[in-house]
Amino acid sequence: MAEIAAHYREILRLIGEDPDREGLIKTPERAAKAIIDITSGYASSPIDIARKAIFEHAGSNIVIVKDIEFYSMCEHHILPFFGRVSVGYIPDGKMIGLSKLARIVDSFARRLQVQERLTSQVCSLLNEALPNKGVIVACDAEHLCMKMRGVEKQDSSTVTLDYCGDFETNPSLREEFFRLLRMNS
């Protein structure tokens, strides 16, 4: 952590700040702790997370966990993007513990990331780790790289979608997923 803090101290100096002024003295250490926390996904294994909580399940209807909030950092600008991920799957003899879906999202989100890859990684991982008939993942996020720099579009958001299995071949299942997401909204 000390090495990261030293780099933050140098960045402060390079942008024209005085890293020794009262308000900034501890900033390099705080920033180093923050970036380590924000990128803690590199130290976790999403496949191990998934495999810890797979159980027998006789059902075959859609299981959905919606609105899993996440916070990530854009790999292009190292600025935050954040939003919600909704995950659905059709069990094929097994199910996954619901909290593991949120942990998987966090494991991928807590890395330098792009939203498109995040959505795809969650979908692919669940398809690999969990016996299923189909997986679908929808992500809706706001990007500070779009809001506070560049085009500065305050009301913009980005939606990404990835799916496989029966969700790919059966449009009515995708429609059901989105209809169920709107319930209680």
Side-chain angles (χ1 to χ4, degrees):
M1 187 177 82
E3 188 176 355
I4 294 171
H7 287 287
Y8 273 115
R9 181 177 172 76
E10 181 63 9
I11 289 168
L12 289 171
R13 189 190 66 72
L14 289 170
I15 64 170
E17 267 294 354
D18 174 7
D20 292 319
R21 79 173 169 84
E22 182 181 13
L24 294 177
I25 291 172
K26 292 186 179 181
T27 296
E29 290 80 17
R30 287 190 295 263
K33 286 179 186 176
I35 198 70
I36 288 168
D37 182 52
I38 290 167
T39 60
S40 63
Y42 291 116
S44 67
S45 168
I47 195 78
D48 288 345
I49 292 168
R51 289 182 177 152
K52 286 181 183 175
I54 295 179
F55 309 101
E56 297 294 323
H57 179 64
S60 61
N61 293 315
I62 297 175
V63 175
I64 296 173
V65 176
K66 67 180 190 173
D67 294 333
I68 302 166
E69 77 274 358
F70 75 92
Y71 300 89
S72 192
M73 297 291 279
C74 166
E75 70 181 32
H76 299 139
H77 304 99
I78 313 199
L79 288 172
F81 71 97
F82 54 92
R84 297 184 180 279
V85 172
S86 295
V87 177
Y89 71 94
I90 302 170
D92 190 12
K94 302 277 185 179
M95 66 180 185
I96 188 167
L98 300 177
S99 69
K100 298 305 182 210
L101 296 173
R103 290 185 192 283
I104 290 165
V105 169
D106 281 346
S107 181
F108 285 122
R110 290 185 171 268
R111 303 169 184 212
L112 297 181
Q113 190 60 277
V114 294
Q115 181 178 338
E116 297 88 341
R117 186 183 317 114
L118 170 65
T119 306
S120 175
Q121 286 174 325
V122 172
C123 186
S124 294
L125 181 277
L126 287 173
N127 189 46
E128 175 187 342
L130 178 67
N132 69 83
K133 295 177 184 170
V135 176
I136 188 167
V137 178
C139 180
D140 186 357
E142 298 180 39
H143 296 250
L144 290 188
C145 58
M146 288 274 295
K147 293 176 179 279
M148 66 184 289
R149 60 155 306 280
V151 297
E152 297 184 12
K153 299 302 175 200
Q154 302 308 307
D155 295 327
S156 67
S157 68
T158 301
V159 175
T160 51
L161 179 66
D162 200 3
Y163 46 82
C164 59
D166 288 355
F167 287 105
E168 188 167 17
T169 59
N170 187 342
S172 66
L173 279 175
R174 291 192 302 271
E175 291 170 17
E176 182 178 6
F177 173 75
F178 286 110
R179 183 181 53 76
L180 291 169
L181 289 185
R182 290 188 298 271
M183 288 179 59
N184 300 323
S185 294

